[in-house]
Structures are given as C-alpha cells and as structure tokens.
Amino acid sequence: MLQIENLHYQYADGANLSFPDWCLDRGENCLLLGESGSGKSTLLHLLAGLLTPQRGTITVADQQLNTLQGRQLDRFRGRHIGLVYQRLHLVPALSVEQNLELARYLAGLPQHPSHVARVLEPLGIMEKRRRRPAELSQGEAQRVAIARALINEPAVVLADEPTSALDDRNCGRVAELLIQQCAQHNASLIVATHDRRLTDRFHRQQRLEMTA
Ligand code: ADP
Ligand code: MG
C-alpha cells in the first residue's frame, strides 16, 4: 500500500510543487501522467525517499518515510521499493546475475540462486545471466532492469519514463512486462510518463498539473 497526503516539495532555487492526495493498494498499477516539468520525476524521487518533502507524509508498506533517515532509509528503499529508470544504471563490469545479486546485497538480503531464476525466467532472459550489460540488446537490458527492480520482492515498483526511448513494439512489451511481473509479485506499480501510447493499459491514472 502506498499513500501520500498533503505533499509539497520546493527545490532550493525554484520550482514549488504540490501533489494531489493519493492512495494505491498493493498489487494495483497506476500511470502518472503530466507534461514535462509537472513534477513526475520529483514525485517518484519523493516516493523512493531520495528527496525529503518540506510538508506532507508518504506511507509505503505501512511505514511513514519521514520517520526514517540515513542507513535505515537506504535499507528500507532497497528492501521495499524497486526502481526502473529510462537510463538503466546497470553496473557494466558485472554480469546480469551479479547485478541482481548486488541489489540483494545492498538491501542486506540473503543470496540464493533461486532468487535470480525467479525474476529472470518469466522475463525470458535466464540464458543471458552470465552476460555483461554491454553484451545485451537494449530490450534485454531493459528486462534486466525490470528483474533488478523485482528481485527484492518490493511492495512498490516506481518506473520513470521506462518506454520513452523505445519503438512502439518494445514500448508495448515493456509496459506489459512491468504490469504482468508486478501483478505476479503482488507489487504496486507506478509508471511516470508523458508517453501517450501507454494510457489504456493501467488500472488507474493520476495526472499532475503544471503549477505556476
Ligand atoms: P517531470 O518529470 O514531470 O518532467 P520534474 O519532476 O523533473 O518534472 O520537474 C518538476 C519541476 O522541478 C520543473 O520545473 C523542474 O525544472 C524542476 N526541477 C527538477 N529537478 C530540479 C533540480 N534538481 N533543481 C531545481 N529544480 C528542479
Ligand atoms: Mg521526468
């Protein structure tokens, strides 16, 4: 479950953003829409605890984020929140498998080969597990990023413009994989995008308006 109330964020040198109150159940998915500059990425950073709001509360998996700090917050994020960015941020020197193991390690979770198999198999990339990111196609690398977001069995997956760089066919596939995999792992999914190709695939939509 994810909930935001009375949420505001102001950047030191500019934009003052307020966000509508909002609640998403476990397993639900939602598209976060809005023009470029409306605050979608900022909201995802707030939800991930990467930015701290000046006002308001965020609750993820029964935990109020503003009660956590430093290492506790990092561990909570690693354990409960999966992140997918447009740029994938895979570690180039590590294999697919090692990239996934790293995500578990950073969250302080135990390792077992079955964890890697559980996320790679449904995404159809199990046979690529010993490859490095540079040896994958863009679509395969995108699937590894989705696998990495899911490996810690997070309560919430946050994806920022995951499809903007993709052609129509791959855009549909990535959206379908995110939706399907989050449903299978009972994670809530929020996809921030200005990509109109995605609008009819999600349970819900939330639109952010530009603030003057
Ligand atoms: P979106 O993802 O919807 O395009 P953003 O959340 O990136 O929107 O940006 C929302 C507003 O915050 C914009 O006006 C943008 O210029 C501003 N902004 C984003 N990042 C920063 C930053 N690091 N410092 C100052 N202002 C920022
Ligand atoms: Mg953005």
Side-chain angles (χ1 to χ4, degrees):
M1 202 268 286
L2 179 145
Q3 188 167 21
I4 66 177
E5 281 178 297
N6 190 29
L7 192 64
H8 295 265
Y9 186 80
Q10 168 135 41
Y11 283 101
D13 51 353
N16 188 0
L17 303 161
S18 31
F19 299 98
D21 287 359
W22 190 31
C23 181
L24 201 61
D25 282 333
R26 183 112 200 195
E28 253 192 320
N29 59 56
C30 184
L31 199 60
L32 181 61
L33 294 164
E35 288 170 50
S36 176
S38 60
K40 302 181 298 297
S41 295
T42 305
L43 179 55
L44 293 191
H45 286 126
L46 289 164
L47 293 174
L50 295 165
L51 289 175
T52 308
Q54 281 83 4
R55 268 195 285 154
T57 54
I58 300 170
T59 312
V60 176
D62 297 326
Q63 176 71 50
Q64 261 197 30
L65 289 191
N66 57 358
T67 63
L68 300 175
Q69 287 180 340
R71 200 188 284 183
Q72 259 187 329
L73 178 59
D74 290 340
R75 186 164 276 231
F76 180 83
R77 181 187 310 115
R79 182 65 194 82
H80 296 286
I81 300 173
L83 297 167
V84 182
Y85 298 99
Q86 185 181 341
R87 293 181 56 219
L88 305 177
H89 302 289
L90 299 171
V91 181
L94 300 181
S95 68
V96 165
E97 193 167 50
Q98 289 166 336
N99 266 280
L100 300 179
E101 287 164 356
L102 178 65
R104 285 191 72 85
Y105 171 79
L106 292 174
L109 292 170
Q111 305 285 354
H112 189 275
S114 68
H115 296 135
V116 169
R118 198 185 53 223
V119 289
L120 289 184
E121 262 164 10
L123 288 163
I125 43 170
M126 188 59 184
E127 73 280 12
K128 311 281 180 187
R129 67 189 179 282
R130 304 214 198 285
R131 300 265 187 95
R132 297 202 181 160
E135 300 164 336
L136 302 172
S137 73
Q138 194 195 359
E140 288 164 351
Q142 186 90 26
R143 280 182 274 167
V144 175
I146 294 174
R148 184 187 50 191
L150 290 164
I151 188 135
N152 297 344
E153 298 179 80
V156 180
V157 172
L158 306 174
D160 198 357
E161 306 280 3
T163 58
S164 339
L166 304 177
D167 60 36
D168 288 352
R169 187 154 146 266
N170 282 306
C171 167
R173 273 194 186 165
V174 165
E176 210 45 58
L177 283 171
L178 273 169
I179 290 171
Q180 212 182 67
Q181 292 301 304
C182 286
Q184 198 166 322
H185 294 265
N186 198 29
S188 309
L189 170 65
I190 299 175
V191 174
T193 192
H194 64 274
D195 194 336
R196 294 180 190 281
R197 296 175 295 184
L198 292 176
T199 42
D200 44 6
R201 294 176 181 267
F202 287 74
H203 294 143
R204 289 173 53 185
Q205 295 184 9
Q206 175 70 55
R207 179 169 289 280
L208 298 184
E209 302 301 336
M210 295 292 283
T211 34

